[in-house]
Amino acid sequence: MTAKMLDQAAAIGLGEAEDLDWKRDADEVKDNREHAKDFAALANAQGGIIVTGVTEDGTGGADTVVGVDDARAQALADRFRGVANSMVRPFIPAFTVYTVALPAAPGRSVVVVQVPRSPEAPHLVPWDKDSWRYPKRVGSETVWLGESEMEAAYRRRFAARRDTEAHLQELAERLDPHLAGGTRRVWVVVTAVCSVPAPYDTAPVLDTRSADPGMTEIFKALPESGGASLLRHRLSQLAPRVGLRRAVFTESRPYAGQCDRAYIELHHDGSFASALQATSALQNGPTLLPRLDFESAVRDLVTAAAIHAHRRGGDGMLQLLATAVTEGGVLALANRGSQYDKQVDGSLAVRPEPVLTEAPLQDLTASPANRRTTANRLLLDLTNQFAVEDLLAP
């Protein structure tokens, strides 16, 4: 949105529509619930924009671009972001607020809210005491979703979830040909997909002769100590190999057509596929998966997935799958006394099922603590399958 576009809209009296709403000033809406309703209504329909700082001609058409004081415009932008974050559930992916300066009125700006059609719909907002409602934009009006519309919206959301789970599993299965086998070798696998993918046409140019900026940023977010970071310990070659719509990072010692230490795929759409080899002790019985390696691998790979998705411009929910596999298919979880301890502490020998979780990408990139919490949800579900108590490292 530019000032020129706004002037043109006012010149022709462009009317409000299902995807366009003009507002003179936020003061005309005292209750934050009304703002939340407007945001959710667009997300539950086709998406659209709300422009604050434009007067109407009495019939819903744009009349004059008056803007608001610059300081107030910035305050309104912050307020709108806060309302969307705190009062709309679930969070609207790719929700964007920005100000547009008006050259014809120095010191004044309009505030533009861009709301996409949401893959997380239906979104609800608080209304009466202890009640929530589902708004939807129809024409230039906002209505409440009826029971059948809510049912259809949730059906679409759950169908999208199933499609995502299938995509995550497919990404994991595609790793198999690249991973060196062996009955005593364990691979920890994590894949991730954004609910709002990054556009392919913004993919960076890959330079196979130097360290990749994306992987370099990931490594900066990992624990400094190699012993506390399995990814840092397993992967030292940060120059990418160019793949189809992806950058590939592998390491093997020596390389024999398959990697035996680490394999990472950073997809241009923000998706992520990875596998780290976890050390196992050679002994009779099931293949051992040391807990320290297991915990470090999952946490490192969740961090890598979140930073990559954010850096590429993905948005919405980051959906994650994690599992551990070996050629024999049977694992036992070794205790945490030593990375190479052969004691199993009574854990079952199992073929662990993949587990899933999700979190807003915005939250995951906000702090290491949020990434650790999300990784721990995956670890808890996985360790429970071995019938051992939760002993996640603090």
Side-chain angles (χ1 to χ4, degrees), residues 319-367:
Q319 292 149 315
L320 297 133
L321 173 146
T323 190
V325 296
T326 188
E327 191 172 88
V330 177
L331 306 172
L333 197 63
N335 71 19
R336 302 188 64 253
S338 166
Q339 288 190 349
Y340 305 98
D341 200 315
K342 298 180 181 180
Q343 298 301 315
V344 181
D345 282 344
S347 97
L348 298 176
V350 299
R351 292 182 175 87
E353 291 292 325
V355 298
L356 297 140
T357 193
E358 64 179 23
L361 181 58
Q362 187 178 67
D363 290 352
L364 291 174
T365 55
S367 74

Side-chain angles (χ1 to χ4, degrees), residues 20-372:
L20 177 62
D21 192 5
W22 304 118
K23 293 188 183 297
R24 170 62 182 87
D25 196 303
D27 282 342
E28 64 190 58
V29 180
K30 300 291 186 181
D31 193 335
N32 280 337
R33 291 181 303 174
E34 290 288 344
H35 294 304
K37 182 180 77 170
D38 289 341
F39 303 155
L42 289 172
N44 286 338
Q46 301 300 315
I49 61 176
I50 302 171
V51 183
T52 300
V54 177
T55 62
E56 298 178 37
D57 58 12
T59 63
D63 184 27
T64 307
V65 182
V66 295
V68 295
D69 178 82
D70 284 345
R72 176 163 171 71
Q74 189 58 57
L76 286 176
D78 294 340
R79 175 184 173 188
F80 293 157
R81 291 189 193 96
V83 168
N85 287 335
S86 63
M87 300 185 69
V88 180
R89 292 290 181 271
F91 173 76
I92 302 172
F95 180 89
T96 307
V97 187
Y98 57 93
T99 61
V100 178
L102 302 177
R108 299 184 71 80
S109 302
V110 299
V111 183
V112 180
V113 176
Q114 290 188 190
V115 184
R117 179 177 184 176
S118 175
E120 300 298 321
H123 297 268
L124 48 78
V125 296
W127 205 246
D128 300 322
K129 184 179 180 181
D130 298 326
S131 70
W132 295 72
R133 291 188 179 183
Y134 298 80
K136 180 181 179 180
R137 183 87 169 180
V138 177
S140 60
E141 302 296 328
T142 296
V143 300
W144 301 112
L145 289 177
E147 181 181 8
S148 61
E149 292 174 303
M150 290 167 53
E151 179 185 3
Y154 274 113
R155 189 184 303 117
R156 288 192 295 270
R157 186 202 283 182
F158 295 147
R161 286 286 193 280
R162 289 192 295 271
D163 290 344
T164 297
E165 290 179 17
H167 187 192
L168 290 168
Q169 188 63 50
E170 182 182 14
L171 286 173
E173 291 170 356
R174 286 181 181 176
L175 296 177
D176 289 345
H178 305 289
L179 309 181
T183 56
R184 316 308 301 175
R185 193 187 305 272
V186 184
W187 288 96
V188 178
V189 175
V190 172
T191 57
V193 174
C194 290
S195 62
V196 180
Y200 280 120
D201 58 7
T202 62
V205 176
L206 297 177
D207 182 356
T208 59
R209 298 167 298 178
S210 60
D212 178 73
M215 188 59 77
T216 300
E217 185 174 338
I218 288 169
F219 264 57
K220 288 180 179 178
L222 298 176
E224 289 294 334
S225 169
S229 170
L230 193 66
L231 176 54
R232 188 183 291 278
H233 181 64
R234 290 281 185 258
L235 185 66
S236 60
Q237 177 54 261
L238 303 188
R241 299 181 181 187
V242 179
L244 178 62
R245 295 182 174 176
R246 61 188 171 179
V248 179
F249 304 82
T250 66
E251 185 140 343
S252 183
R253 297 181 183 176
Y255 183 70
Q258 292 179 317
C259 65
D260 65 3
R261 294 172 60 84
Y263 186 87
I264 310 289
E265 294 182 352
L266 304 183
H267 291 246
H268 294 342
D269 68 349
S271 301
F272 176 85
S274 61
L276 292 182
Q277 187 248 315
T279 305
S280 59
L282 297 177
Q283 65 167 35
N284 295 328
T287 301
L288 292 185
L289 173 60
R291 284 191 205 180
L292 290 178
D293 285 350
F294 192 28
E295 294 169 9
S296 174
V298 173
R299 289 172 179 150
D300 285 356
L301 295 176
V302 167
T303 292
I307 290 176
H308 165 63
H310 178 71
R311 190 175 186 277
R312 284 292 304 117
D315 211 326
M317 304 296 289
L318 187 67
Q319 292 149 315
L320 297 133
L321 173 146
T323 190
V325 296
T326 188
E327 191 172 88
V330 177
L331 306 172
L333 197 63
N335 71 19
R336 302 188 64 253
S338 166
Q339 288 190 349
Y340 305 98
D341 200 315
K342 298 180 181 180
Q343 298 301 315
V344 181
D345 282 344
S347 97
L348 298 176
V350 299
R351 292 182 175 87
E353 291 292 325
V355 298
L356 297 140
T357 193
E358 64 179 23
L361 181 58
Q362 187 178 67
D363 290 352
L364 291 174
T365 55
S367 74
N370 291 342
R371 295 192 291 270
R372 189 179 185 89

